[in-house]
Amino acid sequence: MAEFIKVAKVTDIPNPGKQMLEVDDRLVVLFHVGDVFYCVDDVCTHDGGPLGDGELVDGTIACPRHGAQFDIKTGEALCMPATENTIVHQVKVDGDDVLVQINDE
Amino acid sequence: MTQAMTQLGFTQEAFDALLQARDEPAWLQEIRRESWQKYQQFDWPARDEEEWFRTDIRMFKLDKFNLPLEQNSIDNMPTGLLCDGLELGGQSISLDGYSAHSELSADLASKGILFGSLAGLVKTHGDILRPHIERQIVDRDTDKFSALNAACWSGGHVLYVPRGVVVKEPLHVLSVLSNGGADLGKTLVILEDGAEATLLTETESESDTAEGLHCGTMEIVLGTDAHLRYVSLQDWSPRVWHFAHQKAIVGRDSTLQWTMAAMGSRLAKVNQHVALAGEGAQTQVNGVLFTEGKQHLSYHTLQHHEQPSCRSDFLYKSALQDKSRTVWRGMIKVDAEAQRTDGYQRNDNMLLSNSARADSIPGLEIEADDVRCTHGSTTGQVDDELIFYAMCRGFTRKEAIRAIVIGFFQQIFDRITIESVRDALGDAIARRVREYD
């Protein structure tokens, strides 16, 4: 099991907002919504598009290329053309720090 | 040279140190300076460019590496796979682009053949090599990587075969990367009219876990009625970034048989371009890709028919394990004057796991009206009935899958005329096949 890695300060990311990060040689997107943080791979499972460049609406992120949508809490693919979930990473807040545990599936 | 001098990254200071350290002709240094300016003007490829759409290099950081400014050494130098048991006409080995060993038989040397380190031979035989370097067979203006190589190539290899000389013994080139090293090799192959040769090139890392960067070019020029059999094996460690531009110019009535196998690197982005530049030229390109882990291999081929009555036959086969991915984009381009063209391209992909992915994008761009151009692509998984049949005959599941994968590639292996090379490639792939449910 990978360790939690400090990736940002709570105040670094607006609420609601998102930020693309490099964590442990991997690109992920950290979301800040309603005082809670979520983290998913920065990869649309349809064709590898960068989710971090997409639009965040009501707890979903849309791929900027073809509009596939994913639930930022579960990584579930919510609409075509994506049919496979994207990978979710564990997040915890320790004081002012946001930490991510990479899910190395 | 001090340690500090070798840790300058790819800065202006590093480039100036490279120029200063090299004892080479003024014309070559001028090309380097012009290319460095081009390199600085280029942006890194954008993700919305079609060519880079499926290949994500955001994790590639050039500043993690350093311009190789001096000869390096390692304790255990790899020896390669392709030359076991072969009687070679010559061998050229480099480490991080710098020549580590070079030899050519006295018989071949007496015929005027040049073979060995490009950095060395450009100083002693600049009159022969200069026109081929100046013409930029690989256009340095293609992208940031091509400009970087043109400016900073640190070494590489050269094979020059004079007019009418036939080389029967294979020549072997091995490029090795040290852990954390960078190889900006430039390899130049020139066969004059009526010449013939067999060239084997391969790449290897210091260890299976060695990180590295390869930003290279491969340039081939065949005159009239010249014939080259070329086998290349890319076997970098899975932590190497591999960017390459390869171009062959095939002259009138010449033939190029190019068999390439790619099994290594973390991410590979290779442009392979064959220009059929003389009437009656022929090329056969055979590609084998085998990937595992999270490897990403992206090959972009162009078979460019510039003159009439030429024939090209490109066949790429990929087998993918784990979460690996391949991208193959192939284009047959036929100019208006290239009548009576016969062009073929095909890409077959075998997915060995449910998480692997192969993108296959064949294309045609035809301006002539008397041509035959066909292309095709297939993607599928291993047939369970084949596995069942093999297991009924006493194979374990792993043995069955291994036999099916080797059989999948056999069509390409059969085209390799050197038996030991054929076996070496087959064995290298077979060793990597794992068992899947």
Side-chain angles (χ1 to χ4, degrees):
Chain A
M1 182 71 76
E3 293 180 357
F4 276 94
I5 299 168
K6 180 184 161 188
V7 296
K9 293 278 187 192
V10 168
T11 51
D12 287 346
I13 303 171
N15 182 8
K18 59 183 167 52
Q19 187 172 328
M20 194 269 285
L21 301 166
E22 291 181 22
V23 183
D24 201 14
D25 211 20
R26 194 155 171 161
L27 289 167
V28 299
V29 193
L30 185 65
F31 299 97
H32 189 184
V33 178
D35 294 329
V36 182
F37 287 87
Y38 307 97
C39 186
V40 302
D41 258 7
D42 186 25
V43 176
C44 172
T45 56
H46 166 234
D47 79 342
L51 293 181
D53 294 344
E55 194 176 358
L56 174 64
V57 179
D58 294 336
T60 67
I61 184 75
C63 178
R65 287 189 180 169
H66 303 100
Q69 292 178 17
F70 298 88
D71 186 319
I72 62 168
K73 298 175 188 171
T74 63
E76 183 184 358
L78 299 174
C79 80
M80 293 290 279
T83 57
E84 189 182 334
N85 300 344
T86 197
I87 291 174
V88 176
H89 306 285
Q90 291 290 316
V91 184
K92 72 177 182 184
V93 175
D94 183 6
D96 290 338
D97 297 331
V98 183
L99 298 92
V100 168
Q101 182 187 44
I102 290 295
N103 175 4
D104 199 19
E105 278 185 19
Chain B
M1 190 170 292
T2 64
Q3 182 69 13
M5 284 292 282
T6 65
Q7 304 292 324
L8 296 174
F10 284 79
T11 58
Q12 181 70 48
E13 192 181 0
F15 179 68
D16 292 340
L18 176 82
L19 290 186
Q20 196 171 5
R22 301 185 76 85
D23 171 27
E24 58 189 16
W27 61 265
L28 183 52
Q29 297 246 317
E30 188 53 34
I31 290 176
R32 288 186 186 278
R33 286 192 191 91
E34 291 170 4
S35 302
W36 180 255
Q37 285 190 348
K38 298 274 185 184
Y39 161 72
Q40 291 179 310
Q41 289 163 5
F42 270 118
D43 290 326
W44 292 106
R47 283 215 72 193
D48 56 359
E49 292 175 32
E50 175 62 21
E51 189 156 321
W52 294 90
F53 200 71
R54 297 161 190 83
T55 301
D56 188 349
I57 58 167
R58 287 178 294 169
M59 293 302 289
F60 169 62
K61 311 289 183 203
L62 184 64
D63 57 13
K64 277 188 173 179
F65 301 97
N66 294 289
L67 194 55
L69 296 174
E70 60 181 345
Q71 187 95 35
N72 195 2
S73 65
I74 55 177
D75 290 335
N76 297 309
M77 192 74 171
T79 55
L81 300 172
L82 297 183
C83 63
D84 274 358
L86 279 181
E87 189 173 331
L88 297 172
Q91 188 173 45
S92 179
I93 300 175
S94 67
L95 175 62
D96 298 344
Y98 284 81
S99 181
H101 171 77
S102 180
E103 63 176 291
L104 177 67
S105 77
D107 177 48
L108 295 181
S110 70
K111 293 176 179 170
I113 292 165
L114 304 179
F115 180 67
S117 159
L118 176 59
L121 287 166
V122 79
K123 285 187 272 189
T124 56
H125 295 80
D127 53 330
I128 293 173
L129 301 179
R130 179 177 177 175
H132 298 287
I133 293 174
E134 284 183 334
R135 72 188 284 195
Q136 294 180 50
I137 299 161
V138 168
D139 186 356
R140 70 180 174 202
D141 293 345
T142 306
D143 59 20
K144 198 168 181 76
F145 294 103
S146 59
L148 177 63
N149 179 272
C152 301
W153 61 268
S154 48
H157 312 270
V158 62
L159 167 63
Y160 168 80
V161 185
R163 178 187 293 260
V165 174
V166 175
V167 184
K168 291 186 177 162
E169 304 89 347
L171 298 146
H172 180 241
V173 164
L174 172 62
S175 300
V176 178
L177 256 177
S178 66
N179 187 19
D183 178 335
L184 286 91
K186 179 183 182 74
T187 297
L188 187 56
V189 178
I190 305 152
L191 268 59
E192 298 279 19
D193 298 350
E196 197 170 324
T198 300
L199 178 66
L200 313 173
T201 69
E202 60 185 309
T203 67
E204 204 166 345
S205 295
E206 179 180 358
S207 71
D208 291 343
T209 56
E211 294 189 46
L213 163 66
H214 175 253
C215 174
T217 53
M218 174 77 195
E219 300 174 315
I220 298 171
V221 183
L222 305 185
T224 297
D225 195 27
H227 306 282
L228 177 67
R229 286 171 298 278
Y230 173 39
V231 178
S232 70
L233 168 62
Q234 186 271 98
D235 197 17
W236 299 122
S237 98
R239 300 180 72 183
V240 169
W241 297 90
H242 172 57
F243 303 97
H245 285 279
Q246 306 168 339
K247 183 174 179 182
I249 300 174
V250 186
R252 185 184 178 96
D253 295 327
S254 292
T255 60
L256 168 64
Q257 188 198 48
W258 186 343
T259 302
M260 57 75 54
M263 296 187 291
S265 78
R266 166 184 177 156
L267 179 143
K269 165 69 168 55
V270 177
N271 290 73
Q272 186 186 37
H273 176 178
V274 178
L276 297 147
E279 191 167 348
Q282 296 191 31
T283 185
Q284 181 193 68
V285 176
N286 309 301
V288 170
L289 309 180
F290 188 87
T291 56
E292 58 186 345
K294 293 181 180 177
Q295 284 183 291
H296 179 115
L297 269 57
S298 178
Y299 277 72
H300 302 248
T301 68
L302 170 63
Q303 46 206 107
H304 188 179
H305 287 254
E306 299 176 357
Q307 294 295 322
S309 304
C310 295
R311 185 169 184 276
S312 66
D313 176 357
F314 275 47
L315 172 62
Y316 265 73
K317 282 177 172 270
S318 312
L320 301 89
Q321 290 190 141
D322 307 326
K323 293 184 174 180
S324 62
R325 182 173 180 183
T326 60
V327 178
W328 177 80
R329 287 178 73 230
M331 175 64 74
I332 301 178
K333 181 173 166 54
V334 182
D335 291 348
E337 57 270 36
Q339 301 293 357
R340 298 178 301 286
T341 282
D342 184 356
Y344 180 68
Q345 63 175 195
R346 184 181 175 94
N347 175 222
D348 295 326
N349 301 298
M350 177 181 278
L351 303 175
L352 299 171
S353 84
N354 291 327
S355 308
R357 173 173 175 152
D359 289 70
S360 182
I361 308 155
L364 301 170
E365 189 178 320
I366 299 170
E367 294 182 40
D369 55 13
D370 180 14
V371 303
R372 184 177 72 169
C373 290
T374 49
H375 62 190
S377 172
T378 65
T379 300
Q381 294 184 303
V382 177
D383 188 341
D384 281 339
E385 283 192 17
L386 284 178
I387 297 173
F388 177 74
Y389 176 78
M391 291 177 72
C392 288
R393 311 290 289 187
F395 283 67
T396 65
R397 183 178 176 83
K398 185 174 182 179
E399 288 168 342
I401 293 173
R402 186 182 290 161
I404 292 165
V405 170
I406 295 302
F408 173 69
F409 288 126
Q410 196 64 45
Q411 183 183 5
I412 288 178
F413 294 157
D414 285 346
R415 293 177 172 185
I416 302 172
T417 53
I418 305 171
E419 188 178 349
S420 60
V421 172
R422 193 164 60 223
D423 292 346
L425 286 181
D427 290 348
I429 290 173
R431 278 197 297 273
R432 296 178 189 222
V433 175
R434 281 196 286 281
E435 188 165 356
Y436 288 92
D437 294 328

